[in-house]
Amino acid sequence: MNKNVLNWQEQALTGLLARSQRLPHAILLQGPEGTGVAEFAAVWAQCLLCESPLEGGFACGKCAGCNWYSLGNHPDFRLVQPDSYAEEEAPAEGEDAPPVGRKSSERKSTQIRIDQVRALQDFLAVGTHRAGRRVVVLHPADTMNEATQNALLKSLEEPPAATVFILVTSNPHRLLPTIRSRCQAVSLPRPDQQAALAWLREQQVPEPERALALAGGAPLAAADLAERAPFIAEF
């Protein structure tokens, strides 16, 4: 199992990889905020782009595709996200997935802009560089306004060959019905308390039970809360 997969997502990834050869062209990847939906998308995208997948379809982490992906410059991958989502530090040597966008403290756009979606047309107009799949991740997809969603709609209605769109969201109701109807929904589970606490302890989060309760059962949100508010133990 890929080491970057969160323990409560392992079954979902295994199931999706088992049908990698018959995926629809557009996936609506949805799950509760703070439970690792974007992190799952990053790992899954690498698996789809790996050129020497391991048994079960997991990324090898060693091929040219995996190396480019971990460096953030795979020619057949695009991550579309708001400007307010800044990249974290570059991954350490040997990591399999690129950093996942996180909100920046700078005042930047909080929406995926229409020009970002329109810019995908040049990317989609040519064949794949590695004779494999092309993957586009939009995160969070619900930050597109109506005009931007309509600009994306044509690509979803007339998808290029060998292309998979992954729309990542914790708020699917904010997407237009026309967008949702052209995607196959994949719902990721909320972790049970035992799995969430096990992960928080692995991350050495202080007072994990209290942090998890304050975050409404969302472990990544709990870890972020503990990092930003070390006084959490006083509550």
Side-chain angles (χ1 to χ4, degrees), residues 43-232:
V43 173
W44 186 22
Q46 180 179 359
C47 293
L48 293 176
L49 292 166
C50 177
E51 297 174 12
S52 300
L54 305 176
E55 183 177 357
F58 299 101
C60 71
K62 299 177 181 179
C63 67
C66 285
N67 288 334
W68 281 327
Y69 186 76
S70 65
L71 293 172
N73 58 8
H74 195 293
D76 292 324
F77 176 74
R78 290 293 183 275
L79 171 62
V80 183
Q81 59 184 359
D83 293 338
S84 59
Y85 280 67
E87 287 189 345
E88 297 177 348
E89 297 179 359
E93 184 177 353
E95 288 191 357
D96 294 327
V100 176
R102 185 183 279 185
K103 289 184 179 179
S104 167
S105 59
E106 298 181 27
R107 295 179 64 85
K108 297 181 179 180
S109 173
T110 58
Q111 293 187 336
I112 293 175
R113 305 184 315 275
I114 193 168
D115 59 300
Q116 291 177 280
V117 169
R118 287 174 174 165
L120 287 174
Q121 294 307 312
D122 290 340
F123 171 64
L124 299 172
V126 297
T128 61
H129 295 266
R130 301 294 296 175
R133 276 197 181 91
R134 179 168 35 202
V135 178
V136 179
V137 173
L138 297 103
H139 165 252
D142 54 88
T143 62
M144 293 184 289
N145 61 27
E146 184 173 346
T148 304
Q149 291 184 54
N150 282 324
L152 177 66
L153 194 57
K154 183 176 181 181
S155 295
L156 299 184
E157 290 175 333
E158 303 174 7
T163 300
V164 177
F165 292 88
I166 303 176
L167 282 67
V168 183
T169 181
S170 294
N171 301 286
H173 60 281
R174 295 180 182 173
L175 293 169
L176 296 174
T178 48
I179 292 288
R180 297 198 303 269
S181 68
R182 285 161 177 79
C183 300
Q184 179 175 314
V186 172
S187 298
L188 296 180
R190 177 184 292 275
D192 61 36
Q193 186 178 41
Q194 183 177 2
L197 288 174
W199 182 81
L200 288 170
R201 292 186 182 111
E202 288 176 1
Q203 310 307 307
Q204 299 183 338
V205 173
E207 298 286 342
E209 294 86 354
R210 195 181 301 270
L212 189 63
L214 289 173
L220 273 72
D224 188 57
L225 177 63
E227 181 180 349
R228 292 186 291 107
F231 54 85
I232 189 172

